[in-house]
Amino acid sequence: MGDDGERVSFQTCPEQYRHWRLRVDGEVATLAMDVAEDGGLRAGYELKLNSYDLGVDIELHDAVQRLRFEHPAVRTVVLTSAKDKVFCAGANIKMLASSPHSWKVNFCKFTNETRNGIEDASEHGGQAYLAALNGPASGGGYELALACDYLMLVDDRSSMVSLPELPLLGVLPGTGGLTRVTDKRHVRKDLADYFSTKSEGVGGARAAAWKLVDEVVPRSKWDEAVAARAAELAAGSARPADATGVKLTPLCKERTDDAISYRYVRAELDHDRRAAAITVRGPDREPPAGPEGIDADFWPLAMTRELDDLILDLRTNETGLGIWTLRTQGDLALVLAYDKLLLEYRENWLVKEVLLYAKRTLKRLDVTSRSLIALIEPGSCFAGLLLELALAADRSFQLDGVFTGTGHVAGPAAITVTGLNTGLLPMGNGLSRLATRFFGDKKALDLVIGQVGTALTARAAAGLGLVTFTPDALDWDEEVRIAIEERASFSPDALTGMEANYRFAGPETMETKIFGRLTAWQNWIFNRPNAVGPDGALRKYGTGQRADFDRNRV
Amino acid sequence: MGDDGERVSFQTCPEQYRHWRLRVDGEVATLAMDVAEDGGLRAGYELKLNSYDLGVDIELHDAVQRLRFEHPAVRTVVLTSAKDKVFCAGANIKMLASSPHSWKVNFCKFTNETRNGIEDASEHGGQAYLAALNGPASGGGYELALACDYLMLVDDRSSMVSLPELPLLGVLPGTGGLTRVTDKRHVRKDLADYFSTKSEGVGGARAAAWKLVDEVVPRSKWDEAVAARAAELAAGSARPADATGVKLTPLCKERTDDAISYRYVRAELDHDRRAAAITVRGPDREPPAGPEGIDADFWPLAMTRELDDLILDLRTNETGLGIWTLRTQGDLALVLAYDKLLLEYRENWLVKEVLLYAKRTLKRLDVTSRSLIALIEPGSCFAGLLLELALAADRSFQLDGVFTGTGHVAGPAAITVTGLNTGLLPMGNGLSRLATRFFGDKKALDLVIGQVGTALTARAAAGLGLVTFTPDALDWDEEVRIAIEERASFSPDALTGMEANYRFAGPETMETKIFGRLTAWQNWIFNRPNAVGPDGALRKYGTGQRADFDRNRV
């Protein structure tokens, strides 16, 4: 929101939840939505009927994260409602209608990421999600359910699933709904079309026959059926029965108007130049001997948590900073030592969770609407996990040679490709950042893979196509300054559109379709008078007045 | 444009071209751009430097079509400029800046379709396109070149390729540019990023090294080199050396405010209900015995040409008609007889061209921003080629039983799946409409394929999932009326967004990425004040004033 004062914080913990109840019972956890009507993140709307705003979603995101790290034994998560007559009414309309465009877009992006995180938990983390729809699931409420593996719906006259965004609000089921209905649940497009124009939704046997849910169950058999399905879903999981989780302790974060700093991550906020200078520090100690030594201080985990929080903070609270520069700093050998551990124990459940979390955080960077410029300088440690930052960047500069003068002692900057860069941290399109970079050029990709483990100074890295520009010390400051100033002079919207295209060469997946195709159409509609103008549907909803549309088709 | 009077016509022929020169010389044709500055489709702008508007593109589309049907011997098309100092400066900015949003979007859509048509000619029609860039190719000019198989650029100081949309206009290279650079030409994303922010572009050896062009050639060797490459590209083609082409004779079209009619296709325009009622008639005679009997009157070709023209006319001139109903009428046996011929001779060059043209026309329907409702009534002939219309529709109604009363003599409506429906007419996503419909449900697809050749009345068709609703005669009028009225009451923008998502379940291709991801982002930007507001970049271009941006990132 930026302007209206209070910054949004993404840090929370179950003890502080206002909207969710988390209960863990052996291999089944229950996450029950119980939104506090007066608990909106901003003033001006009431969160009735389990409708949600960003604050509700922040808690959900936190719960999903903790279930993975803190609860190794949990194999099924039952997502349900603690309210009697409703599962979830979706995003709060009054909140949406009164929010500026950038807030709506950022909110939807985070919501999408959280839902993708749920799917990541099922697909890779061994935690199945069961949507137990014990009442109506409308709009974003049904979209949330669509992120789950299995959908159960109470079979009564009032419990419907619905996507009423189009008929009631003139917008799209834009947080995955349109994509998941056809591409995940394989609902036929004509049925999907009818369903999405029918504001009252579909329930009972028809909902199951159309594949909108997997099963409808009479209320009399509900608890028993949900428990049975939860147990069935748990049976397939490879999560360890006897492991100890890692408690995600509070982050140490200092936040001022001009800087955000954590233990390993720091950002200087330059509002005049509209740029955030982000530096990620490498490990400050040797890695543990094996996975049993991993706790919340484990560098890859601690650093990823900080980076994740920083991305969310900057995206939400600093929309004026259009450029993020990405630097690293530290001991290359230590980064490689951690990389080695991660690679060696990648099948261990906890190491796997750390890698999957790093993957999700890097994906968050990929869909961030800021220009990313990597600055590879002497003293940096762009290797393996940290090299992904440079590969995620829109362009990169690597110093050719060294800085001279007082205080500059480090040798030439080098980057190192490791086994972590060749597939363990895929982008949303399913390819590694390297494979995306060299999409359609297998020869170039093979040459790079042949250099795994080699420290590559500027000319070698440029020769392999790993960095964009390699100025020497004489030109460095000027070239970097011009790149940033020029970038800051362009239309922020056009940059966002360009980056959203160039970052995703090659194949598309359900995830990239949601962030690319669906989100782009929703953003378009979120700018159209038919939705957000004074007579638009989003503004007229709940007033008793009808929207007045420009009927021409575009 | 609809409002400002004159309707746009998409019919032309080489003798009427004002902007292109077409020369055929054995197996090589040359299509030289020579835009008449005073030949704009609308008043208010001059088409300087081979910049183009819809009128220029209509002629290009016509030339590409005729080369395929009328010139079987042509195997390479050299796309070049007849002007001395420029290849093409892209879309005319003054035209874009002064056009309403819907015009911009429709113009870009047609431009995209024409470029996809060029790629279809190379990939499936045996006609390679060689872009001979004998001067600067900027913006849409370079995007046009990107649709070609091979790009040659004169190596001099002024001949650059460039995508200056972002830095100069605050919009995207939105007619395929951003997608083709990375996904087709495999330019690295960081180089692409730099290239697309550098308004002066890239030329010479760097343009080739970055893969922006395939070859740079000094002007002294230009003609010779182009001729040699054209001959090389021709060598791989399977087009027949000794065949006779089919002259695409003028369409017989009658156009009033309320109806458009051709020989086989007719549309009634109901402005009050905001609906166009389209009826496609089946063949009125037996098919010829073989391909040698094919001329411009051959029903599949004649009908497709009419349908193609109708789609373009309605899209451009009738933006207020948001719903198209699709009916067919005729002798099912005759449709099947033509289908049989098309299937049997599908390897014949001319039959292949007819099928590929039908494919392109049906794809045009898929990306049309109108709600499509198929109405399958007694007397209809939805089989094979014509069944695709029902499969392209957002929903379909098939009458269960017959209409009673005077004048109704036809038996129950039946639809028939044929060998044409299972892969010869793929959508942009690479799948047949049937495979897209049953995406992820192979069992349902197999059941349908098992019914090839069977006339399916309403209950059978609904059981197989081929139609949406099957009212009987008592309910038909009311159900159809309600469906149309309800659809007309919704936000046109939300419908466009929903349809653009639901119609493309499953995989994405470069083509669907261009129409989905890239176009959607461009449309978003085309609505943003940073581009089209009074201080936006598109409006300020050429005024000597700088754009004033809202710098917040969305």
Side-chain angles (χ1 to χ4, degrees):
Chain A
M1 211 99 171
D3 299 353
D4 78 333
E6 221 177 323
R7 287 189 201 108
V8 176
S9 164
F10 289 81
Q11 295 182 57
T12 184
C13 60
E15 297 70 32
Q16 295 176 9
Y17 291 173
R18 294 198 60 187
H19 308 296
W20 293 90
R21 299 192 204 156
L22 176 59
R23 196 182 71 228
V24 175
D25 185 10
E27 60 184 25
V28 175
T30 301
L31 194 48
M33 196 170 197
D34 193 11
V35 177
E37 289 195 7
D38 61 351
L41 197 60
R42 305 280 178 207
Y45 51 86
E46 289 183 331
L47 296 174
K48 292 187 177 168
L49 296 170
N50 268 356
S51 64
Y52 60 84
D53 68 356
L54 181 59
V56 177
D57 230 35
I58 287 173
E59 293 183 5
L60 173 62
H61 170 249
D62 184 76
V64 172
Q65 281 288 102
R66 288 182 193 275
L67 280 164
R68 297 184 70 166
F69 281 99
E70 301 185 355
H71 301 282
V74 168
R75 297 166 167 224
T76 299
V77 182
V78 177
L79 201 63
T80 192
S81 163
K83 299 217 191 301
D84 261 355
K85 298 202 181 334
V86 67
F87 171 71
C88 169
N92 188 276
I93 308 307
K94 212 164 169 192
M95 177 279 293
L96 274 184
S98 61
S99 298
H101 183 60
S102 62
W103 179 269
K104 282 199 274 287
V105 171
N106 188 59
F107 164 65
C108 290
K109 187 174 283 176
F110 180 72
T111 301
N112 272 324
E113 289 171 324
T114 303
R115 288 171 191 172
N116 289 342
I118 287 175
E119 289 181 334
D120 183 66
S122 323
E123 196 181 341
H124 303 293
Q127 284 181 340
Y129 273 72
L130 167 60
L133 308 177
N134 51 342
S138 325
Y142 179 52
E143 290 182 291
L144 172 59
L146 286 169
C148 299
D149 300 85
Y150 195 85
L151 279 69
M152 299 175 74
L153 176 66
V154 164
D155 191 6
D156 63 22
R157 281 165 180 276
S158 70
S159 295
M160 305 281 189
V161 296
S162 64
L163 292 176
E165 286 89 342
L166 186 143
L168 294 187
L169 308 169
V171 300
L172 301 183
T175 44
L178 290 186
T179 310
R180 288 198 175 92
V181 164
T182 49
D183 283 58
K184 182 179 182 181
R185 299 203 53 88
H186 307 141
V187 176
R188 243 169 53 209
K189 73 159 183 178
D190 55 337
L191 300 178
D193 178 282
Y194 176 75
F195 170 63
S196 302
T197 57
K198 193 174 156 70
S199 54
E200 63 272 37
V202 171
R206 201 183 212 189
W210 287 11
K211 305 189 208 166
L212 296 165
V213 301
D214 293 288
E215 189 178 1
V216 287
V217 180
R219 203 172 277 276
S220 60
K221 300 187 180 159
W222 181 251
D223 293 341
E224 183 189 347
V226 169
R229 288 296 180 197
E232 271 175 43
L233 287 168
S237 171
R239 283 179 82 86
D242 51 356
T244 308
V246 169
K247 176 86 185 155
L248 299 178
T249 49
L251 296 180
C252 289
K253 176 177 180 178
E254 278 180 50
R255 177 66 157 101
T256 67
D257 283 350
D258 302 322
I260 305 173
S261 53
Y262 312 82
R263 180 163 169 195
Y264 297 109
V265 176
R266 182 173 166 83
E268 309 279 344
L269 315 184
D270 187 337
H271 298 281
D272 293 335
R273 297 174 74 206
R274 305 187 172 282
I278 299 171
T279 303
V280 179
R281 286 199 303 117
D284 44 14
R285 66 177 92 166
E286 292 287 336
E292 56 289 344
I294 297 179
D295 58 17
D297 286 335
F298 181 60
W299 172 77
L301 176 56
M303 180 274 292
T304 299
R305 289 183 69 205
E306 295 173 7
L307 184 62
D308 201 23
D309 186 74
L310 178 73
I311 294 170
L312 292 170
D313 186 330
L314 289 176
R315 278 199 332 203
T316 307
N317 300 312
E318 304 288 351
T319 54
L321 304 178
I323 296 156
W324 295 358
T325 58
L326 301 165
R327 286 184 180 83
T328 60
Q329 195 180 14
D331 186 336
L332 187 65
L334 280 181
V335 174
L336 291 173
Y338 275 87
D339 254 48
K340 190 160 171 285
L341 178 98
L342 292 171
L343 255 179
E344 191 173 338
Y345 294 99
R346 63 181 179 274
E347 297 300 333
N348 169 274
W349 81 273
L350 185 52
V351 171
K352 199 170 166 186
E353 286 294 355
V354 171
L355 284 169
L356 290 167
Y357 183 29
K359 177 192 74 174
R360 294 195 301 281
T361 301
L362 289 162
K363 282 184 181 182
R364 224 195 262 292
L365 201 55
D366 294 330
V367 298
T368 289
S369 60
R370 303 292 190 279
S371 297
L372 307 174
I373 301 180
L375 299 175
I376 304 166
E377 300 171 340
S380 67
C381 50
F382 283 99
L385 183 53
L386 291 185
L387 179 62
E388 292 293 321
L389 297 175
L391 296 174
D394 298 301
R395 56 177 85 167
S396 52
F397 292 81
Q398 183 172 2
L399 185 78
D400 184 10
V402 294
F403 290 129
T404 53
T406 335
H408 291 298
V409 294
I415 65 172
T416 310
V417 178
T418 78
L420 283 194
N421 304 118
T422 57
L424 283 174
L425 301 165
M427 298 174 58
N429 64 6
L431 303 181
S432 68
R433 277 173 197 77
L434 277 181
T436 304
R437 187 175 188 84
F438 299 110
F439 177 70
D441 191 349
K442 189 174 177 307
K443 200 176 129 198
L445 179 62
D446 287 345
L447 279 174
V448 166
I449 290 173
Q451 294 296 314
V452 161
T454 310
L456 303 163
T457 50
R459 287 179 207 187
L464 289 165
L466 287 168
V467 296
T468 323
F469 300 113
T470 55
D472 61 18
L474 272 177
D475 296 330
W476 180 265
D477 285 349
E478 177 82 352
E479 277 203 32
V480 170
R481 183 183 60 75
I482 288 172
I484 292 172
E485 284 178 4
E486 191 190 61
R487 199 85 176 183
S489 76
F490 295 141
S491 159
D493 302 330
L495 288 171
T496 293
M498 180 181 75
E499 291 154 6
N501 281 277
Y502 277 154
R503 290 180 189 167
F504 298 92
E508 300 262 334
T509 62
M510 198 168 65
E511 187 172 322
T512 62
K513 282 175 87 162
I514 289 171
F515 282 117
R517 178 183 277 273
L518 177 57
T519 295
W521 283 109
Q522 179 77 308
N523 291 357
W524 175 68
I525 290 165
F526 275 162
N527 259 280
R528 300 278 296 159
N530 281 340
V532 295
D535 296 320
L538 198 54
R539 296 281 285 278
K540 288 293 186 192
Y541 182 73
T543 64
Q545 297 172 293
R546 289 176 72 98
D548 186 16
F549 295 130
D550 173 349
R551 297 279 169 191
N552 285 297
R553 275 291 190 116
V554 173
Chain B
M1 210 102 173
D3 300 352
D4 80 331
E6 222 177 322
R7 287 188 202 109
V8 176
S9 164
F10 289 82
Q11 295 182 57
T12 182
C13 59
E15 297 70 33
Q16 294 175 9
Y17 291 173
R18 294 200 59 190
H19 308 296
W20 294 88
R21 299 191 204 157
L22 176 60
R23 198 182 71 228
V24 175
D25 186 10
E27 61 185 23
V28 176
T30 303
L31 194 47
M33 197 172 197
D34 193 10
V35 176
E37 288 194 8
D38 61 351
L41 197 61
R42 304 279 179 208
Y45 52 87
E46 289 185 330
L47 296 174
K48 291 187 178 169
L49 295 170
N50 268 356
S51 64
Y52 59 83
D53 68 355
L54 181 59
V56 176
D57 231 36
I58 287 172
E59 292 183 5
L60 173 62
H61 170 250
D62 183 76
V64 172
Q65 281 287 102
R66 287 182 193 276
L67 280 164
R68 297 184 72 166
F69 281 99
E70 300 184 356
H71 300 282
V74 168
R75 297 167 167 223
T76 300
V77 181
V78 177
L79 201 62
T80 192
S81 162
K83 299 219 192 298
D84 261 356
K85 298 202 183 330
V86 67
F87 171 70
C88 169
N92 188 275
I93 309 305
K94 213 165 168 191
M95 176 278 295
L96 273 184
S98 61
S99 298
H101 183 61
S102 61
W103 180 268
K104 283 200 273 290
V105 171
N106 187 58
F107 164 65
C108 290
K109 186 173 285 176
F110 180 72
T111 302
N112 272 324
E113 289 171 323
T114 303
R115 288 171 192 170
N116 289 341
I118 287 175
E119 289 181 333
D120 183 67
S122 322
E123 196 182 340
H124 303 292
Q127 284 183 338
Y129 273 73
L130 167 60
L133 309 177
N134 51 342
S138 324
Y142 179 51
E143 290 182 290
L144 172 59
L146 285 169
C148 299
D149 300 85
Y150 195 85
L151 278 70
M152 301 176 74
L153 176 66
V154 165
D155 191 4
D156 62 23
R157 282 165 179 276
S158 69
S159 295
M160 305 281 189
V161 296
S162 64
L163 292 176
E165 286 89 341
L166 185 143
L168 295 187
L169 308 170
V171 301
L172 300 182
T175 45
L178 291 186
T179 310
R180 288 199 175 90
V181 164
T182 48
D183 283 58
K184 181 179 183 181
R185 299 205 53 88
H186 306 141
V187 176
R188 245 169 51 211
K189 73 161 182 177
D190 55 338
L191 301 177
D193 177 281
Y194 176 75
F195 169 64
S196 302
T197 58
K198 194 175 157 68
S199 53
E200 63 272 37
V202 172
R206 201 183 212 188
W210 288 10
K211 305 189 207 164
L212 295 165
V213 301
D214 293 288
E215 189 179 2
V216 288
V217 180
R219 202 172 279 274
S220 60
K221 299 186 179 159
W222 181 251
D223 292 342
E224 187 189 343
V226 169
R229 289 295 180 200
E232 271 175 44
L233 286 169
S237 171
R239 282 178 83 85
D242 52 356
T244 308
V246 168
K247 177 85 184 154
L248 299 178
T249 49
L251 295 179
C252 291
K253 176 177 180 178
E254 276 179 53
R255 176 68 158 100
T256 67
D257 284 350
D258 301 322
I260 306 174
S261 52
Y262 313 82
R263 181 164 167 194
Y264 296 110
V265 176
R266 182 173 168 83
E268 310 279 344
L269 316 183
D270 186 337
H271 299 280
D272 294 334
R273 296 175 73 206
R274 304 187 172 282
I278 299 170
T279 302
V280 178
R281 285 200 302 118
D284 43 15
R285 64 176 94 166
E286 292 288 334
E292 56 289 343
I294 298 179
D295 58 19
D297 286 335
F298 181 59
W299 173 77
L301 176 56
M303 180 275 291
T304 299
R305 291 183 68 205
E306 295 173 4
L307 184 62
D308 201 23
D309 186 75
L310 178 72
I311 294 171
L312 293 169
D313 186 331
L314 289 176
R315 280 200 329 205
T316 307
N317 300 312
E318 304 289 350
T319 55
L321 303 179
I323 297 156
W324 294 358
T325 57
L326 301 165
R327 286 185 179 83
T328 60
Q329 194 180 14
D331 184 337
L332 185 66
L334 280 180
V335 174
L336 291 173
Y338 275 87
D339 253 47
K340 188 159 171 286
L341 177 97
L342 293 171
L343 255 179
E344 188 173 341
Y345 294 99
R346 64 183 178 273
E347 297 301 332
N348 170 274
W349 82 273
L350 185 52
V351 171
K352 199 169 166 185
E353 286 295 355
V354 170
L355 283 169
L356 289 167
Y357 183 30
K359 176 192 74 174
R360 294 195 300 282
T361 301
L362 289 162
K363 282 183 181 183
R364 224 195 261 293
L365 201 54
D366 293 329
V367 298
T368 289
S369 59
R370 303 292 191 279
S371 298
L372 307 174
I373 300 179
L375 299 174
I376 304 166
E377 300 171 339
S380 66
C381 50
F382 283 98
L385 183 52
L386 292 186
L387 179 62
E388 292 293 321
L389 297 175
L391 296 173
D394 298 302
R395 58 177 82 166
S396 51
F397 293 80
Q398 182 172 2
L399 185 79
D400 184 10
V402 294
F403 290 128
T404 52
T406 334
H408 292 297
V409 293
I415 65 172
T416 310
V417 177
T418 79
L420 283 194
N421 304 117
T422 58
L424 283 174
L425 302 165
M427 297 174 59
N429 65 4
L431 303 181
S432 67
R433 281 175 193 77
L434 277 182
T436 304
R437 185 175 189 85
F438 298 109
F439 178 69
D441 191 350
K442 191 175 175 307
K443 201 176 128 199
L445 179 61
D446 288 345
L447 279 175
V448 167
I449 291 173
Q451 293 297 315
V452 161
T454 311
L456 303 163
T457 50
R459 288 179 204 186
L464 288 164
L466 287 167
V467 296
T468 322
F469 299 112
T470 54
D472 61 19
L474 272 178
D475 296 328
W476 179 265
D477 286 348
E478 178 83 350
E479 278 204 31
V480 170
R481 184 184 60 76
I482 288 172
I484 293 173
E485 283 177 6
E486 190 191 60
R487 198 84 176 184
S489 76
F490 294 141
S491 159
D493 302 330
L495 287 171
T496 293
M498 180 180 77
E499 291 153 7
N501 280 277
Y502 277 153
R503 290 180 189 166
F504 298 92
E508 299 263 333
T509 62
M510 197 168 66
E511 187 173 321
T512 61
K513 282 175 88 162
I514 289 171
F515 282 116
R517 178 182 276 274
L518 177 57
T519 296
W521 284 109
Q522 179 77 306
N523 290 357
W524 175 68
I525 290 165
F526 274 161
N527 259 282
R528 299 280 295 158
N530 281 340
V532 296
D535 297 320
L538 198 55
R539 297 280 286 276
K540 287 293 186 191
Y541 182 74
T543 63
Q545 298 171 293
R546 289 176 71 98
D548 185 17
F549 294 130
D550 173 348
R551 297 280 170 191
N552 286 296
R553 274 294 190 112
V554 173

